[in-house]
Amino acid sequence: MAREGGLPEERRTRLRAAMLSTFGALTVIAALAAIYALAIGFPVVAPTPVEAVAVVNERDLLVRYQVGSSNCHDPYGVQVIETEDTVELQGQRVDPTGTRLIGKGCSDDLLTAVETVRLADPLAGRSIVRPDGTELEPVEQTAVIGGGETS
């Protein structure tokens, strides 16, 4: 029997059951995502320091940056921010299982990566800096390549 101005009792019951089923399904999905994050892990990108840079030509720089542990981290590229006076370089790494907490062990070695970065505008006397503002003096290309493991 319907209340005045409301839904019939049967419809209210069905609506309540549908809402509870939806809430239950969402709870299960959230629980599975949390288990996946802790047991397997989602990727996490983090900044890393640039160690050395060489000028290849007016628009290309050869950059060596730290990646981290060879069995936990992968190179993710070099972030470049260009201004009128500076070219800022920041290495990036990705930990494919970054949120994993169960059974994670990383080696104690330091992997570095070497990449060529193309500038939007010619270097033309701009200084090359890290995000903290410290200047990176360009070195020979062989010094960048020979400074550690490369990828």
Side-chain angles (χ1 to χ4, degrees), residues 2-3 16 18 21 24 26 47 49 55 58 63-64 72 81 105 119 122 129 141 144-147:
R3 281 197 260 160
R16 193 174 313 127
S21 295
L26 291 174
V55 177
E58 271 301 303
V63 180
R64 183 179 69 240
C72 281
I81 300 174
L119 302 176
V129 298
Q141 292 179 36
V144 172
I145 294 170

Side-chain angles (χ1 to χ4, degrees), residues 26-42:
L26 291 174
T27 302
V28 168
I29 290 170
L32 291 174
I35 290 169
Y36 183 90
L38 296 175
I40 296 171
F42 289 109

Side-chain angles (χ1 to χ4, degrees), residues 124-140:
R126 295 184 286 173
S127 57
I128 303 168
V129 298
R130 292 182 178 102
D132 64 3
T134 58
E135 191 166 346
L136 280 161
E137 289 295 325
V139 297
E140 294 295 319

Side-chain angles (χ1 to χ4, degrees), residues 35-71:
I35 290 169
Y36 183 90
L38 296 175
I40 296 171
F42 289 109
V44 174
V45 176
T48 62
V50 170
E51 292 183 343
V53 63
V55 177
V56 177
N57 58 46
E58 271 301 303
R59 284 190 117 97
D60 295 325
L61 302 175
L62 191 63
V63 180
R64 183 179 69 240
Y65 62 99
Q66 295 179 5
V67 176
S69 170
S70 62
N71 68 337

Side-chain angles (χ1 to χ4, degrees), residues 93-139:
R93 71 174 184 213
V94 64
D95 182 348
T97 60
T99 59
R100 182 179 184 173
L101 295 178
I102 301 167
K104 184 167 182 160
C106 296
S107 60
D108 205 12
D109 61 341
L110 176 62
L111 176 70
T112 61
V114 175
E115 291 188 20
T116 301
V117 174
R118 180 162 278 274
L119 302 176
D121 296 314
L123 188 58
R126 295 184 286 173
S127 57
I128 303 168
V129 298
R130 292 182 178 102
D132 64 3
T134 58
E135 191 166 346
L136 280 161
E137 289 295 325
V139 297

